[in-house]
Coordinates of all heavy atoms in Angstrom, one line a residue:
L20 N 132.7 116.6 158.9 CA 133.0 118.0 158.6 C 132.2 118.9 159.5 O 132.8 119.9 160.0 CB 132.8 118.3 157.2 CG 133.7 117.6 156.2 CD1 133.3 117.9 154.7 CD2 135.2 118.0 156.4
V21 N 130.9 118.7 159.7 CA 130.1 119.6 160.6 C 130.6 119.4 162.0 O 130.7 120.4 162.8 CB 128.7 119.2 160.4 CG1 127.8 119.9 161.5 CG2 128.2 119.6 159.0
G22 N 130.9 118.2 162.5 CA 131.3 118.0 163.8 C 132.6 118.6 164.2 O 132.8 119.1 165.2
T23 N 133.5 118.6 163.2 CA 134.9 119.2 163.5 C 134.8 120.8 163.4 O 135.7 121.4 164.0 CB 135.9 118.8 162.4 OG1 135.5 119.1 161.1 CG2 136.2 117.3 162.5
S24 N 133.8 121.3 162.9 CA 133.7 122.8 162.8 C 133.4 123.4 164.2 O 133.7 124.6 164.5 CB 132.7 123.3 161.9 OG 131.4 122.9 162.3
T25 N 132.8 122.6 165.1 CA 132.6 123.1 166.5 C 133.8 123.3 167.3 O 133.9 124.1 168.2 CB 131.6 122.1 167.3 OG1 132.3 120.8 167.3 CG2 130.3 122.0 166.6
A26 N 134.9 122.6 167.0 CA 136.1 122.7 167.7 C 136.8 124.0 167.4 O 137.6 124.6 168.2 CB 137.1 121.6 167.3
V27 N 136.5 124.7 166.3 CA 137.1 125.9 166.0 C 136.2 127.1 166.1 O 136.5 128.2 165.6 CB 137.7 125.9 164.5 CG1 138.8 124.9 164.4 CG2 136.7 125.7 163.5
S28 N 135.0 126.9 166.6 CA 134.0 128.0 166.7 C 134.5 129.2 167.5 O 134.1 130.3 167.2 CB 132.7 127.5 167.3 OG 132.9 127.0 168.5
A29 N 135.3 128.9 168.5 CA 135.8 130.1 169.3 C 136.8 130.8 168.5 O 137.0 132.1 168.7 CB 136.4 129.6 170.6
T30 N 137.5 130.1 167.7 CA 138.6 130.8 166.8 C 138.0 131.7 165.8 O 138.5 132.8 165.4 CB 139.4 129.7 166.1 OG1 139.9 128.8 167.1 CG2 140.6 130.3 165.4
I31 N 136.8 131.4 165.3 CA 136.2 132.2 164.2 C 135.1 133.1 164.7 O 134.2 133.5 164.0 CB 135.6 131.3 163.1 CG1 134.6 130.3 163.7 CG2 136.7 130.5 162.4 CD1 133.9 129.5 162.6
A32 N 135.2 133.5 166.0 CA 134.2 134.4 166.6 C 134.2 135.7 165.9 O 133.1 136.4 165.7 CB 134.4 134.6 168.0
D33 N 135.3 136.2 165.4 CA 135.4 137.5 164.7 C 135.4 137.4 163.2 O 135.8 138.3 162.5 CB 136.7 138.2 165.1 CG 136.8 138.5 166.7 OD1 135.7 138.8 167.2 OD2 137.9 138.5 167.2
Y34 N 134.9 136.3 162.7 CA 134.7 136.0 161.3 C 133.8 137.0 160.7 O 132.7 137.2 161.1 CB 134.2 134.6 161.1 CG 134.1 134.1 159.7 CD1 135.1 133.8 159.0 CD2 132.8 133.9 159.2 CE1 135.0 133.3 157.7 CE2 132.6 133.4 157.9 CZ 133.7 133.1 157.2 OH 133.6 132.7 155.9
P35 N 134.2 137.7 159.6 CA 133.3 138.7 158.9 C 132.2 137.9 158.2 O 132.5 137.3 157.1 CB 134.3 139.4 158.0 CG 135.4 138.5 157.7 CD 135.6 137.7 159.0
V36 N 131.0 137.9 158.6 CA 130.0 137.0 158.1 C 129.7 137.3 156.7 O 129.7 136.4 155.9 CB 128.7 137.2 159.0 CG1 127.6 136.3 158.5 CG2 129.0 136.8 160.4
L37 N 129.4 138.5 156.3 CA 129.0 138.8 154.9 C 130.1 138.6 153.9 O 129.9 138.0 152.9 CB 128.4 140.2 154.9 CG 127.1 140.4 155.7 CD1 126.6 141.9 155.5 CD2 126.0 139.5 155.2
S38 N 131.3 139.0 154.3 CA 132.5 138.8 153.4 C 132.8 137.4 153.3 O 133.1 136.9 152.2 CB 133.7 139.6 153.9 OG 133.4 140.9 154.0
G39 N 132.6 136.7 154.4 CA 132.9 135.2 154.4 C 131.9 134.4 153.5 O 132.3 133.6 152.8
Q40 N 130.6 134.8 153.6 CA 129.6 134.2 152.8 C 129.9 134.5 151.3 O 129.8 133.6 150.5 CB 128.2 134.7 153.2 CG 127.7 134.2 154.5 CD 127.5 132.6 154.4 OE1 128.4 131.9 154.5 NE2 126.2 132.3 154.3
A41 N 130.2 135.7 151.0 CA 130.5 136.1 149.6 C 131.7 135.2 149.0 O 131.7 134.8 147.9 CB 130.8 137.6 149.5
L42 N 132.7 135.1 149.9 CA 133.9 134.3 149.5 C 133.5 132.8 149.3 O 133.9 132.2 148.3 CB 135.0 134.4 150.5 CG 136.3 133.7 150.2 CD1 136.9 134.3 149.0 CD2 137.2 133.8 151.4
R43 N 132.7 132.3 150.2 CA 132.2 130.9 150.1 C 131.4 130.7 148.8 O 131.6 129.7 148.1 CB 131.4 130.5 151.3 CG 132.2 130.2 152.5 CD 131.3 129.9 153.7 NE 130.4 128.8 153.4 CZ 129.3 128.6 154.0 NH1 128.8 129.4 154.8 NH2 128.6 127.5 153.6
Y44 N 130.5 131.6 148.5 CA 129.7 131.4 147.3 C 130.5 131.6 146.1 O 130.3 130.9 145.1 CB 128.5 132.4 147.3 CG 127.4 132.0 148.3 CD1 127.0 133.0 149.2 CD2 126.9 130.7 148.4 CE1 126.0 132.6 150.1 CE2 126.0 130.4 149.3 CZ 125.5 131.3 150.2 OH 124.5 131.0 151.0
A45 N 131.5 132.5 146.1 CA 132.3 132.7 144.8 C 133.2 131.4 144.6 O 133.3 131.0 143.5 CB 133.2 133.9 145.0
L46 N 133.7 130.9 145.7 CA 134.5 129.6 145.6 C 133.6 128.5 145.1 O 134.0 127.7 144.2 CB 135.1 129.2 146.9 CG 136.0 128.0 147.0 CD1 137.2 128.1 146.0 CD2 136.4 127.7 148.3

C-alpha cells in the first residue's frame, strides 16, 4: 500500500492537507 501511493503522488499534489487529514481521522 505504501509503495503504490508513490505512483499517484503527482496526482495528489493539490490535495487539501488539513481537510484530508480530518476526513481520514473521521473515517
Side-chain angles (χ1 to χ4, degrees):
L20 292 174
V21 170
T23 57
S24 67
T25 59
V27 294
S28 61
T30 307
I31 59 172
D33 296 327
Y34 182 72
V36 178
L37 297 179
S38 300
Q40 286 292 79
L42 182 63
R43 285 178 57 206
Y44 288 130
L46 181 63

